[in-house]
Each structure stands twice: as C-alpha cells, then as structure tokens.
Amino acid sequence: MEDSLIDEKDEISFEDLGLDETVLAAIEKKGFKTPSPIQVLAIPRLLNGDANIIAKARTGTGKTAAFGLPIVQNVCTESDHVRALVLEPTRELAIQTCTELQSFTSGKFPRVTVLYGGASYSTQIKELKRGAEIVVGTPGRIKDHIERGTLKLDKIDYFILDEGDEMLDMGFVDDIKSIFASANSQSRILLFSATMPKPILQIAEEFMGEYDICEEEGFVEEPLLIEQKYWVVSEPDKIEALVRLVDISPDFYGLVFTMTKNDADMVSRLLDERGYEAAALHGDIPQGQREKILARFRSKKTRILVATDVAARGIDITGLSHVVNYSLPFDGATYIHRIGRTGRAGTSGIAVTFVRPEERRKLEYLRNAVRRAAKGEMTQEEIPEIDDVLNSKRLRILGDIKEKLGLAKPDSDINSESEVSDEIVPLEQDATADAPAKEESAPQPIDAGEFYNRMADELCQDADPKQVLAGVLKITFGQSLDKSHYGRIASNRSRANPNQKRIYVQLGRRDGFNARSIASYFSDLLHIPGRMVDQIDVSQNFSLVSLPSSNAIRALELSKSRKDMPHMHLDSKEENNFTGRSRSDRSPRGQDRGRRGGFERDRYSVAKREGRENRGGEKASRSSAFKNEHGRTRVHTSTNRSGASAYKKSNRHSEEY
C-alpha cells in the first residue's frame, strides 16, 4: 500500500500524530516546531498497528525522529532484553543516531547504547550487561557481538535498517542477512532509504513479507542548485585557503563546518585575528549566547559562522552564499546535510570542500555518494593565487565607492574581468561647469556637505588632489589590499615550480615513516639535501613527495632496477584527479603483467598478500640491505611484515628538513 502526502494546507502538529506528553516535552526541548512529511507518514503507523514499513526518505528530512520518536514512546519501561535494533552504515552515523535517540528521552528509560568497530569490546559488553532497551550499531560489530553471544536479538520488537542504499553500496548485504537470521522473525522491520534499488526490494521480499511504503507523493528528485568544488590543501594551509575564498567571493555569507568543537573555536579565533567577522557555534555554547550568535549571523553583522554538525542542526537561515567543509565529512549523508544549507528556495549556492592530500580515497567515496544523493558532481578547483584575490577585492572596493558616491553608471557593473593596477584607480573627476547638461539617468555625485568640503580644501591646499585621494584610500584599505595580508600555501608550490615531479612511494606510517624520515630516506638514496624533498604527504600505506625532475627520474630508475627498493611511480594530478588509486591499481592480481605504466609490477603488494595468506602458519621473514653515501650498510629484518615495512627508518641523516 502506498500512502500519499497529507495536504500541505492542513496544520499538522506533533500532537496530532499521537505522541504522548513525555515525548512531546522532549520535542519542545529540542526546538522542533512542525513534523516533516516523512514524520507525518511514518510516526502514526509505528504507534499503531504492526505492519512493516519501507520509507523512502531524502537526506535531511528527519528520518531519525520518524522512527525514533515512536520507538522511544513504545519502549519506555525497563526490560531485561534488547527491544529495538538500529543498523547504521558508519560508526559516525551510529554515534549520531544514538545521541539523537537519547535526546528524545526525559527519564531513565529507554536506555540506548551504541556498538561500532574500533571501540573497546569490554566496554561495550559491560554496557550491554547493565541493560539496554535500544541498541544502535554498525553491521560488522553487531554481527561480532551476536557471534560472541554478548548480544541477543531473539526478543526484539523493532528492527530498523537506516540508510539502506548506503549500506548496500558499502557491501554489508551478507552481514545484514546474517543479522536478520539471528533476529526475532516476528519483529517489525523498518527500512529507511533515500532510493529504492533492486537489492533493497529483494531484502524486503526475503525478510519483510507484507509491508507499507511511505514516501512523499509527487516528489521528483532534482539536481541541487549548488556549485560543488573541492580544493586540495594541507591541514596547516586550510585557514589561508579559507581567507582567500572569503576575499575572492563577491559577498561571502556562509557556514564553515568543522569536525570538533576545538577546531570551531580555533578557526573562528584565527579569522578574528585577521580582521574577519566570524563566530563559533558548538555544543559548549550556552543557549543564551547561541541565540545572540545566531541573531548577529541572521542580520549579517557576522558573515562567517564556524560550526560543528551537531550545533548546526535546526539552523534555518536563508540567503547563504557558501558552505565550506573545512573538515571532510565522514559520509555522504553528512555532506548533503551540510551543503543543503545553501542553494535553497530556487537560489544558487556554492559548496567548497577542503581535502587533505591523504584523504583522496575518502574523497572518491564521498563523490560517489554525491552523484547518487545530490545528482551533482564535485569538481576540483585550484586555490586562487594572491594576485587574483587582490584584483577581485580592488574591483569590489572601487565599485562600492563609486556606488556610494553616486559616480557609478546606472545599470552597469564594473567589468570583473578587467585588470586593476597595483594602485587603486582614482575616481572620475567632475564635469566642468561649461559641460553639456547631463541626462536625467546620469549618476549624481554625493553632496559631502560644508564640513567635509572644508576638510578636503585643507588636505588639498598644498598637494595634488589625486595624490591626496590615493593616500586616503591607502590609509583606509591598504592593510587589506596588501600582499602581506596573505601567506604562502604549500599546495601551490608544485604549480609554481615546473622543474619538480611528484612521485608515489610505497612507504607510509604503518612502516614507521613520517615526513622527516621520508625526507631522510630520499636524502640517503639520492645524495641530496633533505630540504630538496618537498611537499611530503604521508598516509597509512604510501607517501607522495615532490623532487627535482632529475632526482625523481633517478629514484624511479632505482626502484625499477633494485629488488631491495619499495615501489615508486609518477603521481599525476591529471590522471587521478585526486581520487586516489585502488589497491588493485597499485598491485595487479593474477598473472604477472610484466611492466605496468612503464614500471615493474608492485612486488611489495604481492609480498603483502602472501604475508596475509601465511597468517597462522609459518612466519615469513625477510631482510634487506642498502648503503648510504657514507658507505654504511644497514640491515633490517621484519617478521611476518610485508610490503615496505622492511624499510624502517634507522640512523638517518641529520639533514634539516
């Protein structure tokens, strides 16, 4: 059965949906005013009847409250077993959903706990033993607890599968089926998904039996009117990139999202120190202060609001020009939530995401999620150069002054493509007294009044009026239009130096390397100063470095010819578009393909696979030796380690990096 959306003209309130006073009090405390369409459709059906439900709900439509409010109301007493299970695709979403469900409760019950990978098993087991009516978790960790016998689902009343399409995309189908098999077959199953692909419907047919479908009638998903860009920038350079973005934008008015409260405070403070009207908003801000911050932001007295995802919930401010992801969102849903703050009500907006070089794999996952959910595409854009930013500011300032003085021509804008010299262009001189009469539409200069005319006479008494005006402009705008206002961005160095090549090397943090030891490694290998090893980005399994072209070619040749060398190859921004390489791209499986991309196949990834296959059996060991420029020989032995782990840092150069 498919439900239609209740007439928008009807005044629907949360009281009309059948929620009790306790839950309504929690709703009022959270500041919810009116239910969303999916809440109007889902909540009454969960409070009454026993039908299974598939809800097609877009990101940001209040899905958590749609299933959370009725479940909290129905599971409001102490129980000796778990009564509701909520599956989420990522640990971050699991934590977020758990926090949201806890906020719906005002008493001791229901108790909500969260289970996800990476956290302590013992702590989670203790929480389960204390008792929990609602469990939120990721498929892998839930399955582990079921197999350990620390979580039993044979008596649950509700089985909620949230973000079903993302769950399938991440490869959790088998885990989900395994968990379904362990759960109470009589429990109500609620499946929330932004789209309805065939695998979702197959799961429904296999486990749900009869079900109702809830979705907004007549809704057609359209592309968001948001221009989505990403800038590749290292962590220390992000604040400089943000400043350039603000200054090159015609009228910046936006939200800057960070992952933590400390980051929000830090970014806000750094912006304030550089003369920008910015404020931070996060969970530690008292409610009274929060309201004042939002009031200033709505009135545009503050034009930059730095916020965490949790603090930004409920903010409904129109007219935002930008959303900036200062930190890369942990999943597609969070990204869509964030960028949806701009481009509303048929207006356009811009979303800019800062991506660290080592986050390129995560970026590719995010881009795939964006294609599905937002019907859009994230495109890479270069960080603006200082000269471009200054030229944009000069044009804007000049246009603003002309407009305020009444010197701007009507129905015309300053040509944003034109170049403005290093000195501000002087204002046009007034027409002479015997000039022809101006047309009615001609601009009328502002009458400054006797006081200011007298000041102008005194300033120009013994000086050239043009020079006086230029001096006044410099005093007023000189600091903000000076190149010293901006710093250097490391990610721009490679573009400024065409004599460098960027190479991939299979040495990472798991092998004990950091930026300094990578510099020492290439210094030893190529007999060059460590400072010549530039733009070092170290990830878990590999690193990217920029070297002078001749040295880069030499390193690649050594990697090809010597068996005791880690794999290296050229890294091209044009080829990978900062989307990263899959494991199969770097180390082809199956038959030996000989040369690949001009270089030998990755011997070390092969060794890594062999090491995994030998787990539990005889431990493999390997030793390698190489010499530095002083003729010393270093021998490294690794036990059951693979890949580049044989190349641990040792007594390196003391060359300063």
Side-chain angles (χ1 to χ4, degrees):
M1 180 175 92
E2 187 168 334
D3 300 305
S4 62
L5 183 62
I6 294 176
D7 191 341
E8 293 180 358
K9 295 181 180 179
D10 294 338
E11 293 286 339
I12 302 296
S13 66
F14 282 104
E15 290 90 337
D16 297 328
L17 302 182
L19 296 169
D20 62 24
E21 293 182 0
T22 303
V23 176
L24 290 174
I27 291 173
E28 184 178 359
K29 186 177 180 181
K30 289 183 66 66
F32 293 168
K33 301 300 181 184
T34 56
S36 67
I38 195 62
Q39 292 166 358
V40 171
L41 293 171
I43 289 175
R45 284 164 179 77
L46 291 176
L47 290 174
N48 306 292
D50 56 2
N52 296 324
I53 295 175
I54 292 182
K56 184 177 181 181
R58 294 169 288 146
T59 301
T61 55
K63 291 183 296 179
T64 304
F67 66 77
L69 292 172
I71 289 176
V72 166
Q73 178 169 315
N74 289 343
V75 185
C76 59
T77 58
E78 184 177 8
S79 174
D80 60 356
H81 60 271
V82 177
R83 296 190 58 187
L85 172 70
V86 182
L87 283 184
E88 297 284 357
T90 67
R91 67 183 67 181
E92 292 84 4
L93 275 177
I95 295 170
Q96 182 176 310
T97 299
C98 177
T99 303
E100 189 80 353
L101 292 176
Q102 289 171 337
S103 71
F104 296 153
T105 65
S106 55
K108 293 183 178 180
F109 307 102
R111 295 164 293 182
V112 187
T113 191
V114 60
L115 309 176
Y116 57 87
S120 168
Y121 273 105
S122 59
T123 301
Q124 293 177 353
I125 292 171
K126 288 178 183 177
E127 291 181 358
L128 289 171
K129 286 183 177 180
R130 284 194 208 102
E133 284 72 43
I134 302 175
V135 170
V136 184
T138 54
R141 183 53 62 98
I142 293 294
K143 184 181 176 184
D144 287 347
H145 277 286
I146 292 173
E147 293 173 350
R148 287 168 175 255
T150 52
L151 176 64
K152 297 186 182 299
L153 304 177
D154 56 331
K155 296 181 180 180
I156 62 171
D157 300 315
Y158 298 95
F159 190 121
I160 300 97
L161 186 65
D162 193 19
E163 301 288 354
D165 48 0
E166 282 203 37
M167 206 90 75
L168 296 176
D169 289 338
M170 295 176 71
F172 288 132
V173 176
D174 292 337
D175 287 345
I176 292 171
K177 290 182 177 180
S178 175
I179 295 168
F180 264 122
S182 302
N184 176 16
S185 59
Q186 302 303 313
S187 62
R188 292 187 70 179
I189 300 173
L190 319 174
L191 197 160
F192 285 78
S193 182
T195 59
M196 290 293 170
K198 287 184 179 180
I200 287 284
L201 299 177
Q202 289 173 355
I203 287 180
E205 292 174 1
E206 185 173 352
F207 294 100
M208 296 181 69
E210 294 185 0
Y211 54 83
D212 292 347
I213 295 179
C214 297
E215 67 176 308
E216 298 176 56
E217 186 181 79
F219 170 74
V220 178
E221 195 142 7
E222 297 178 351
L224 296 176
L225 299 176
I226 301 173
E227 185 179 357
Q228 301 172 63
K229 311 172 184 177
Y230 67 91
W231 293 1
V232 179
V233 57
S234 62
E235 190 67 34
D237 292 328
K238 282 185 177 181
I239 193 69
E240 176 63 31
L242 178 58
V243 165
R244 295 191 190 185
L245 173 62
V246 171
D247 283 349
I248 204 169
S249 304
D251 196 18
F252 188 96
Y253 176 47
L255 274 167
V256 178
F257 282 98
T258 63
M259 293 297 289
T260 67
K261 303 171 186 177
N262 289 338
D263 285 346
D265 285 332
M266 180 269 294
V267 172
S268 175
R269 175 178 56 80
L270 291 175
L271 288 172
D272 182 67
E273 290 174 354
R274 297 181 67 162
Y276 298 87
E277 288 288 342
L281 193 69
H282 52 70
D284 289 346
I285 304 292
Q287 183 61 30
Q289 187 177 350
R290 173 188 171 92
E291 292 174 359
K292 291 179 181 178
I293 291 171
L294 288 175
R296 286 185 60 84
F297 188 59
R298 286 192 177 95
S299 64
K300 295 189 177 181
K301 292 179 180 178
T302 300
R303 303 189 70 88
I304 307 172
L305 186 62
V306 187
T308 58
D309 291 293
V310 174
R313 288 179 189 168
I315 296 178
D316 187 15
I317 297 175
T318 59
L320 295 182
S321 65
H322 288 75
V323 168
V324 181
N325 295 305
Y326 192 88
S327 304
L328 194 65
F330 51 72
D331 58 22
T334 302
Y335 176 84
I336 300 302
H337 271 296
R338 288 181 178 183
I339 70 170
R341 306 285 180 177
T342 185
R344 293 185 171 186
T347 62
S348 60
I350 298 174
V352 180
T353 302
F354 292 170
V355 181
R356 300 198 310 271
E358 62 269 25
E359 292 179 318
R360 44 184 78 177
R361 285 189 186 178
K362 191 175 179 182
L363 172 66
E364 182 61 19
Y365 163 73
L366 190 63
R367 294 179 74 189
N368 290 334
V370 170
R371 292 186 189 103
R372 294 192 308 270
K375 309 299 183 186
E377 181 68 42
M378 295 175 68
T379 58
Q380 184 182 354
E381 184 179 83
E382 300 294 342
I383 301 172
E385 298 292 345
I386 294 175
D387 288 340
D388 296 331
V389 176
L390 288 176
N391 190 55
S392 178
K393 288 179 70 176
R394 288 167 181 155
L395 288 168
R396 205 158 54 244
I397 289 172
L398 182 58
D400 187 49
I401 291 174
K402 281 190 172 185
E403 181 180 354
K404 290 179 179 178
L405 289 176
L407 300 176
K409 295 180 181 179
D411 301 323
S412 66
D413 296 321
I414 292 179
N415 182 8
S416 60
E417 298 297 325
S418 64
E419 292 293 331
V420 179
S421 63
D422 288 339
E423 296 183 2
I424 299 297
V425 176
L427 302 179
E428 298 172 0
Q429 296 183 353
D430 293 339
T432 58
D434 56 350
K438 296 180 180 179
E439 297 180 3
E440 291 184 2
S441 60
Q444 299 297 318
I446 188 172
D447 183 6
E450 182 180 352
F451 176 76
Y452 291 102
N453 284 329
R454 190 165 61 250
M455 287 184 67
D457 288 338
E458 292 181 11
L459 289 171
C460 299
Q461 186 174 3
D462 299 316
D464 181 357
K466 179 178 177 181
Q467 294 298 321
V468 171
L469 177 57
V472 171
L473 291 171
K474 185 174 183 180
I475 292 171
T476 307
F477 303 107
Q479 186 174 358
S480 65
L481 290 175
D482 195 291
K483 284 191 175 183
S484 63
H485 181 71
Y486 303 95
R488 187 182 180 194
I489 291 183
S491 56
N492 286 343
R493 291 179 197 162
S494 62
R495 294 193 295 273
N497 188 354
N499 296 321
Q500 283 190 331
K501 290 187 181 297
R502 194 148 177 82
I503 66 172
Y504 166 103
V505 55
Q506 195 173 356
L507 296 174
R509 286 193 295 270
R510 68 178 297 174
D511 307 306
F513 280 84
N514 56 26
R516 187 178 297 275
S517 53
I518 286 288
S520 296
Y521 175 80
F522 280 99
S523 176
D524 285 351
L525 178 68
L526 302 171
H527 311 300
I528 60 175
R531 63 178 177 272
M532 295 179 67
V533 187
D534 199 9
Q535 276 190 276
I536 304 172
D537 296 316
V538 184
S539 68
Q540 187 70 11
N541 299 316
F542 66 92
S543 300
L544 296 172
V545 300
S546 293
L547 294 169
S549 296
S550 59
N551 297 117
I553 293 171
R554 174 61 178 157
L556 295 173
E557 290 174 347
L558 289 173
S559 176
K560 288 171 57 180
S561 61
R562 287 170 48 176
K563 294 183 178 180
D564 61 342
M565 289 276 295
H567 171 72
M568 301 181 195
H569 61 242
L570 280 175
D571 182 78
S572 170
K573 292 181 182 179
E574 289 74 19
E575 288 178 5
N576 60 42
N577 199 25
F578 279 93
T579 58
R581 297 177 179 82
S582 66
R583 190 178 299 272
S584 60
D585 287 336
R586 295 196 305 275
S587 52
R589 295 180 181 270
Q591 298 178 353
D592 188 347
R593 304 181 193 180
R595 294 181 178 271
R596 182 177 178 273
F599 303 105
E600 289 182 343
R601 63 180 301 204
D602 189 347
R603 300 182 297 273
Y604 303 94
S605 290
V606 175
K608 190 176 293 184
R609 293 197 298 273
E610 292 172 351
R612 287 197 296 268
E613 293 168 358
N614 290 332
R615 284 178 184 171
E618 182 179 355
K619 293 184 177 181
S621 64
R622 176 173 66 258
S623 65
S624 62
F626 56 88
K627 295 181 178 181
N628 66 4
E629 68 273 23
H630 299 297
R632 294 194 301 270
T633 299
R634 306 188 189 106
V635 179
H636 305 274
T637 302
S638 63
T639 302
N640 200 24
R641 295 295 302 273
S642 56
S645 57
Y647 304 94
K648 294 271 185 186
K649 62 188 179 201
S650 183
N651 298 320
R652 300 290 188 187
H653 262 308
S654 60
E655 181 74 48
E656 183 179 357
Y657 168 63

